[in-house]
Amino acid sequence: MTTKSSEVRFLEVAAVAAALLVFIYFILNWGFEGVIHARRTQTVPDLKSRSIAAALDQLAPLNLGLRKTAVEFDASVPISSVLRQDPPAGTVVREGKTIKVVVSQGGQTVMAPAVIGLPLRNAEMLLRQSQLSLGEVSESYSLKQEKGMVLSQDPKAEASIERDALVNLVVSGGAPPGGVSLMPDFLRKNVEEARSWAAGAGASLEIETDKISLFPSGTVLTQTPAADSVLSSDVKVTILVSGRKGATPTVAAKLFKYELPQSGSESQVRIVVIDKYGERELFNGVRKPGSKIEVPIQETGGSRVKIYMNGILVEERDL
């Protein structure tokens, strides 16, 4: 009898506990729904093409949140701006809702190859390989480059630009016809060559000196106008010449050496040196795999040599 009475009492307690739990559940559920439905509704604004900061400013007064879920390339939408959103604009949501967005990385970028010194056809092929397009091609007379060779490019080599962008080139038209005078290239030559040319051409020559240059005294360091510029009858030429007083410092004259990889095919090799006076070309030519290139160079400190193969920078060295 006692055992049966205990079982009945246990069942009664269990039933009461279950009923209490059900009651608590409905009370809590009713309370939560009341809190949720007490929040005001808001219409999701259009965030496309807005910067993240602007999107946050637009959502804050509406008590809506923002979360970046992914990034994608898209040239039509500015970098770091909203590309897509979820929920879409116009959706009615409760305050506190988080709007998920995909952010644009802008257009895909590539590095412009170095095509100066290449034949126009080779330059165009290299641009295509680099996912770029040939833009405007203009022609300029040149004493330095043969007809059809690239003299300059815009954008410059190694510039980061959008894929499929246009690269404009200036191509050599060869030596000028009679009556057209071009500025010679006097860089790293002796000042006496410039004096002799100026006297024969009737040009006004102004000579400035750099007294701390490590180059031998009388070496032309810079010139204005630049080489191959068309000269007018009243042109004024200015050159900067090494003119350090006292004993001429020893400038380390040495051979710069570079060996092409053994594999592959013929490559267009261009070697340039960059120092505080600017950039000048040391070598430009086609060489077979495994070829060795040796060019004389004066080591003055603070210089850097860049080596390009088929327009692509493959190595840099400090001197």
Side-chain angles (χ1 to χ4, degrees):
M1 186 72 177
T2 303
T3 302
K4 190 172 183 179
S5 176
S6 298
E7 290 178 354
V8 171
R9 193 177 302 112
F10 173 77
L11 292 174
E12 290 176 348
V13 171
V16 171
L20 183 60
L21 288 174
V22 171
F23 175 75
I24 292 174
Y25 168 78
F26 280 108
I27 290 296
L28 291 176
N29 187 56
W30 174 81
F32 282 130
E33 286 188 359
V35 171
I36 292 173
H37 290 291
R39 294 178 179 176
R40 293 179 299 175
T41 59
Q42 300 288 359
T43 300
V44 177
D46 186 2
L47 304 177
K48 186 175 181 180
S49 298
R50 291 186 174 274
S51 67
I52 294 297
L56 286 170
D57 289 342
Q58 192 171 3
L59 293 175
L62 305 177
N63 291 323
L64 299 176
L66 180 72
R67 181 161 66 92
K68 181 175 73 173
T69 58
V71 293
E72 293 181 9
F73 287 109
D74 193 313
S76 65
V77 176
I79 191 169
S80 298
S81 298
V82 176
L83 183 59
R84 293 193 303 277
Q85 66 182 81
D86 180 32
T91 304
V92 177
V93 297
R94 296 283 180 181
E95 290 182 341
K97 177 73 173 179
T98 297
I99 311 302
K100 301 175 183 178
V101 296
V102 176
V103 177
S104 171
Q105 285 188 305
Q108 286 184 280
T109 58
V110 296
M111 184 174 291
V115 297
I116 293 176
L118 296 180
L120 177 59
R121 185 174 181 179
N122 292 14
E124 184 175 8
M125 290 175 59
L126 184 56
L127 290 175
R128 289 177 180 174
Q129 292 172 7
S130 302
Q131 298 180 305
L132 297 169
S133 299
L134 179 63
E136 179 182 349
V137 178
S138 56
E139 195 173 76
S140 179
Y141 297 121
S142 175
L143 298 175
K144 297 177 62 177
Q145 294 283 7
E146 297 178 2
K147 184 177 177 64
M149 306 294 282
V150 177
L151 298 175
S152 65
Q153 65 180 88
D154 181 31
K156 294 183 178 181
E158 301 176 52
S160 180
I161 55 180
E162 288 193 2
R163 189 179 68 176
D164 299 323
L166 297 177
V167 178
N168 302 319
L169 304 179
V170 177
V171 177
S172 171
V180 177
S181 298
L182 300 184
M183 180 69 188
D185 185 3
F186 294 118
L187 294 182
R188 303 303 185 267
K189 297 178 182 178
N190 190 274
V191 65
E192 294 306 320
E193 291 189 39
R195 283 198 176 105
S196 177
W197 167 82
S204 172
L205 179 64
E206 180 179 342
I207 300 176
E208 300 174 351
T209 57
D210 182 348
K211 296 181 180 180
I212 62 172
S213 169
L214 296 180
F215 282 93
S217 181
T219 302
V220 177
L221 305 174
T222 64
Q223 66 177 66
T224 305
D228 280 344
S229 298
V230 177
L231 300 178
S232 60
S233 57
D234 58 347
V235 65
K236 180 180 179 181
V237 177
T238 303
I239 59 175
L240 178 66
V241 176
S242 176
R244 184 166 179 167
K245 298 290 185 180
T248 301
T250 301
V251 178
K254 66 176 186 178
L255 286 177
F256 179 84
K257 300 179 181 181
Y258 179 73
E259 183 174 350
L260 276 70
Q262 296 291 335
S263 59
S265 56
E266 286 188 339
S267 300
Q268 181 81 33
V269 182
R270 183 169 182 256
I271 303 175
V272 299
V273 61
I274 303 171
D275 56 26
K276 69 176 183 178
Y277 302 111
E279 177 180 304
R280 63 188 178 92
E281 189 174 84
L282 295 178
F283 177 85
N284 193 340
V286 177
R287 290 294 183 268
K288 295 180 179 180
S291 297
K292 296 181 179 180
I293 299 174
E294 296 183 351
V295 289
I297 186 173
Q298 291 177 315
E299 185 177 357
T300 60
S303 301
R304 175 176 286 263
V305 173
K306 292 187 175 184
I307 304 164
Y308 298 89
M309 288 183 61
N310 297 324
I312 305 299
L313 179 65
V314 295
E315 187 176 338
E316 291 187 60
R317 297 184 197 173
D318 291 324
L319 296 180

